[in-house]
Structures are given as structure tokens and as C-alpha cells.
Amino acid sequence: MTPLLPRRSPPLFAMVDCNNFYVSCERVFDPSLWGAPVVVLSNNDGCVIARSNEAKTLGIAMGEPAFKRERFFRANGVRVFSSNYALYGDLSRRVMEILATFSPDLEIYSIDEAFLRIDGLPFRDALAFARTIRETVTRWSGIPVSVGVAETKTLAKIANRKAKKDTDCEGAYVLPAPGVERDVLLEALDTRDIWGVGRRYATMLAKNGIHTARALRDAPDPFVRRTMTLTGLSTVLELRGKSVLALEDAPPAKKAICSSRSFGRPVTSLAELQESVSAYVSRAAEKLRAQRSVAGRLTVFVQTNPHKDEPQYSNGRDMVLPHPTAHTPTLVRAARELAQGIYRLGYRYKKAGVLLTALEPAEGRQLPLLAAGGDGSTALMDVLDRANAKWGRGALQVAAAGLGRPWQMRQAHKSPRYTTRWDELPEVW
């Protein structure tokens, strides 16, 4: 890890964004995909959620239902993949580990984005340093990235957008100093494309004659505070070059955890419905323990397919747990009980899910006097999590979650989990 030199003022941020991340992950292990139109589909092979540049050129839009484009895909040689989150998550981890070698101040913003604070690092040319980051990540992981550099996180996002969309930048761009060149760049950026300004605020700003990032930057503070609250004012201050959004060393713990999927085929029996919610609550419990939390309330919900001309039904039921827990068997028993309570014979269920709420830190939970021993062995859950971390998710699981799972989502075009499963390692002949 590069040692820090004394901090400069103002700070300097690099925003690193993986290009077409899901598609790039698929290309790492299949060179034949380079130059070809590629799309990745959502759960159950439903909609397009990632596109290569070649696919974008063909006019394939984000969110398009895949079944409506099947003939077009075949006619244009579009390579189609089911989402492979095990692969994407592992390659994301590798990219973030590489970025951490450049700066100890790293915020993992999403699966394919990260901020680095780079002031104080031993470089003379920020653009050359950004190019070094880009080249190193691409060479070591196979994932192409774009890097934008500026004195605030918001401006770094704008610089990253320029690096990605302007081919002359070759994937790296440093925002120019305040002046005419920066003003021209901000004038060309619609408010809808500013990080932190959503569609609702953009519509409101347009009604008030503010259409560009430059106009928003120059808007009066009282107007911004009144119409966009302090959060909007923070965005405006960042556009002016004042850093007010610090790096987050770790993402804040979630206040609720949901695990839900559409079924690969309609579910009609109680046994399969209970099996599915057992699997979903097991996954939710794993996430709960990962953030060192426990849950005090569990909700289970089901629904039929509203797009089918058949009897419709949806329902949900929740339960306040005897005491906050992250113990998988306890949550599975509760989820199965709730599923039984809302199940109705004669319906074809399309989707089910679980929601864990009333979360609190595991260390500080309050147990009833007679429940001093908790709800099971913490050591057992530690063994479960370590086994699945080492051998792959699902290597060790509760029997109630099922084995064959004929109801699970469709993934007809899924690539192997090259980096997380021994039996799916790439073969070289």
C-alpha cells in the first residue's frame, strides 16, 4: 500500500468505474466475446441489465424484456448470458483489492464503482496516475475501468463520465481547474446526469429554469436549501469545488434485509413454497450475520403473476420474533410457519420473499432473562458461514431449503462460476 504524504488542500478524489461490468466479467474468461454484441439478463432471464458497447450500437435498451428480442438477438449474433453473481462478486472483490494498493483511503461505492482519496500520494501528474490505475486494474483483473479525478466526489463522478464517454480521454480524465474550460463542461451536463440529483429534482429544477450542472452550481443557496434540502445543498457545494462528502470507510449497516426471487415455473404446493422461503431466509440470515446484526421481525410475502389471465392472489404476514436473532434454523422455522399461514390452495405462485427488519447490532441485543443462552449455537453459525465462504455458497445448508429446487429461477444462459467453484474452473486444452 502506498504511504501517504502530508495532505493537500483541497483534497483530491479518483472515481473508478468498471466499464459494462457484468459484460466485462463474462469476457475475462471468453475472449471470443470481445468485439461481439453481448447482453446480460436479470434474474429468471427476464430483462436486459447489462450491454456491451456493440449491443448498445444495435439499439438494445436497458430493461428490455428478453423474450421480445429473442429473434433480434439470433439475427444479429447477440451473445446472451444469465446473470452470474458469484462470478461478478468475486471479480469485483479482486478489482477493489487492486485499487486498495494505490491508496489506503478507499470507499467501495457499489459492485463496480469505488472512490479513492489520492491527495498526499507521491505522484506529480494526476492524469498519469489515473492512467496507471486504469492500466493496472485492466492488466491484473481483465476488467477495463474508467478513472475520473477532481477535488470533490461529485466532480470526480462528472470527470469519470467524461473519461468513459469521450474516446479521446482513453479512459482517464482530470477535471480542469475552475475557469472557462470547466464551465463549458458543466454547461454541457444535464442536471439529470449529476450524482445526487434524481429525476424528481431535475424536473423541479427545469421548471425553475435550471437545466445544466453549471446553472445548478450557480443557483442561490436559499433556493437550493428550500427546494432540495441540505442534501441538495451539499451537491451544489461539491459542484463549486468544496468537498463536503467524505469517504465512507465501510458501508453503513442495512436497516432491512430482503431476499426475494421470481420462480422459474409456477409453484402450486405448500411444500415447494415453504422450501423456497426457507432458502430465501437462509440467505437473508447469512447477510444479517455478515453485517453483525440480528433481526427482531420477519415478514414473508407471496404473489401470483399479475400478467397472466388466471386467478390472482398476493399476501404477506409478519412476526415479531421472541428475541432478535440471526440464527438460521430459528428464522427458517418462523418463515415456514408464516408461509403456511398465507398459502392458499388453487393459485399458481410466481414469487415469494422474506424481509428482515427491526435490525440491531448483535453485540448489543437485549435477550429475555430466561433466554440467556440465546437461540442456538453461535459457533454453529460460524461453522456454516466459514464452510460456505471456503467451498461456495450452498455447500452447507439447512435441509428445509431443499436440494433439487425445481422452482428456482431460470438461468438458461449462465456461464460457469470460474473463480469460486472447483468443479467449474476453466479448462485449457
Side-chain angles (χ1 to χ4, degrees):
M1 186 177 292
T2 306
L4 283 175
L5 297 178
R7 288 292 190 191
R8 302 173 185 170
S9 183
L12 196 62
F13 297 92
M15 202 286 156
V16 183
D17 185 9
C18 301
N19 300 341
N20 305 323
F21 180 58
Y22 292 171
V23 170
S24 295
C25 291
E26 300 292 350
R27 284 174 163 171
V28 168
F29 294 96
D30 187 351
S32 70
L33 299 177
W34 287 101
V38 181
V39 297
V40 176
L41 306 181
S42 63
N43 292 332
N44 253 336
D45 293 343
C47 301
V48 174
I49 58 171
R51 306 160 294 162
S52 67
N53 290 336
E54 296 81 4
K56 295 174 186 177
T57 301
L58 289 174
I60 300 171
M62 284 288 283
E64 280 195 89
F67 76 92
K68 291 185 177 180
R69 283 288 209 165
E70 287 181 355
R71 183 177 298 177
F72 179 87
F73 290 162
R74 288 194 297 269
N76 290 274
V78 178
R79 304 286 293 276
V80 180
F81 289 87
S82 303
S83 48
N84 187 346
Y85 295 117
L87 177 65
Y88 308 154
D90 188 61
L91 288 180
S92 171
R93 177 186 59 79
R94 296 175 186 224
V95 168
M96 301 307 166
E97 288 178 351
I98 295 168
L99 293 178
T101 66
F102 286 96
S103 173
D105 291 340
L106 169 70
E107 175 188 339
I108 300 175
Y109 182 66
S110 69
I111 192 172
D112 61 349
E113 296 175 292
F115 289 100
L116 293 83
R117 186 166 172 180
I118 61 174
D119 54 292
L121 297 180
F123 63 84
R124 294 184 177 181
D125 186 335
L127 180 59
F129 187 65
R131 287 173 175 164
T132 298
I133 293 174
R134 180 177 184 273
E135 292 165 3
T136 303
V137 172
T138 302
R139 185 169 60 250
W140 290 8
S141 70
I143 303 295
V145 300
S146 299
V147 184
V149 177
E151 67 268 27
T152 73
K153 291 170 69 176
T154 302
L155 290 174
K157 286 279 285 187
I158 292 173
N160 182 278
R161 178 183 174 86
K162 172 78 170 177
K164 180 175 289 189
K165 292 186 173 294
D166 188 340
T167 56
D168 291 339
C169 294
E170 298 181 339
Y173 183 74
V174 176
L175 199 70
V180 175
E181 190 176 355
R182 178 178 291 196
D183 287 348
V184 170
L185 179 65
L186 296 181
E187 183 66 31
L189 184 67
D190 193 284
T191 55
R192 292 172 297 181
D193 297 320
I194 302 172
W195 183 49
V197 178
R199 183 180 302 176
R200 183 170 63 88
Y201 277 143
T203 301
M204 178 276 298
L205 291 169
K207 291 179 180 178
N208 286 274
I210 298 175
H211 301 275
T212 68
R214 180 181 179 182
L216 179 58
R217 180 199 65 185
D218 297 337
D221 288 0
F223 166 79
V224 175
R225 188 184 297 109
R226 185 179 71 254
T227 58
M228 300 179 68
T229 73
L230 289 176
T231 300
L233 183 60
S234 295
T235 298
V236 171
L237 292 174
E238 291 248 322
L239 288 173
R240 295 172 184 166
K242 181 175 181 176
S243 179
V244 296
L245 302 176
L247 290 183
E248 294 183 359
D249 294 331
K254 296 179 180 179
K255 297 180 180 179
I257 294 176
C258 182
S259 181
S260 175
R261 291 286 186 275
S262 294
F263 300 129
R265 59 156 175 78
V267 165
T268 57
S269 71
L270 174 61
E272 286 194 343
L273 186 63
Q274 288 181 314
E275 186 176 277
S276 68
V277 298
S278 297
Y280 298 155
V281 81
S282 296
R283 175 62 180 140
E286 181 183 330
K287 295 179 180 179
L288 193 62
R289 293 190 295 273
Q291 70 172 39
R292 302 180 184 277
S293 296
V294 289
R297 183 183 290 268
L298 168 64
T299 303
V300 172
F301 55 90
V302 298
Q303 69 177 61
T304 53
N305 191 340
H307 304 293
K308 293 285 187 180
D309 184 16
E310 57 189 30
Q312 297 296 315
Y313 172 71
S314 63
N315 202 353
R317 185 172 293 183
D318 65 354
M319 171 192 296
V320 176
L321 299 165
H323 49 268
T325 183
H327 185 241
T328 296
T330 299
L331 292 168
V332 166
R333 285 193 295 270
R336 291 173 66 86
E337 179 182 333
L338 290 171
Q340 184 171 4
I342 59 178
Y343 171 78
R344 297 292 181 270
L345 186 64
Y347 292 99
R348 290 158 53 86
Y349 296 98
K350 174 63 176 177
K351 185 177 184 179
V354 302
L355 179 67
L356 296 174
T357 53
L359 306 190
E360 60 183 71
E363 296 80 9
R365 62 174 172 166
Q366 298 295 316
L367 292 175
L369 179 62
L370 299 180
D375 50 18
S377 170
T378 301
L380 177 61
M381 294 298 96
D382 289 342
V383 170
L384 176 70
D385 293 336
R386 286 200 302 270
N388 288 328
K390 182 175 182 179
W391 302 108
R393 185 179 302 159
L396 189 60
Q397 61 184 359
V398 294
L403 295 176
R405 298 183 182 179
W407 44 265
Q408 65 186 356
M409 63 182 180
R410 291 190 303 272
Q411 290 184 304
H413 311 284
K414 185 179 177 183
S415 57
R417 292 162 290 186
Y418 295 108
T419 62
T420 58
R421 292 294 291 258
W422 288 106
D423 57 342
E424 297 181 23
L425 286 173
E427 297 180 356
V428 180
W429 298 87

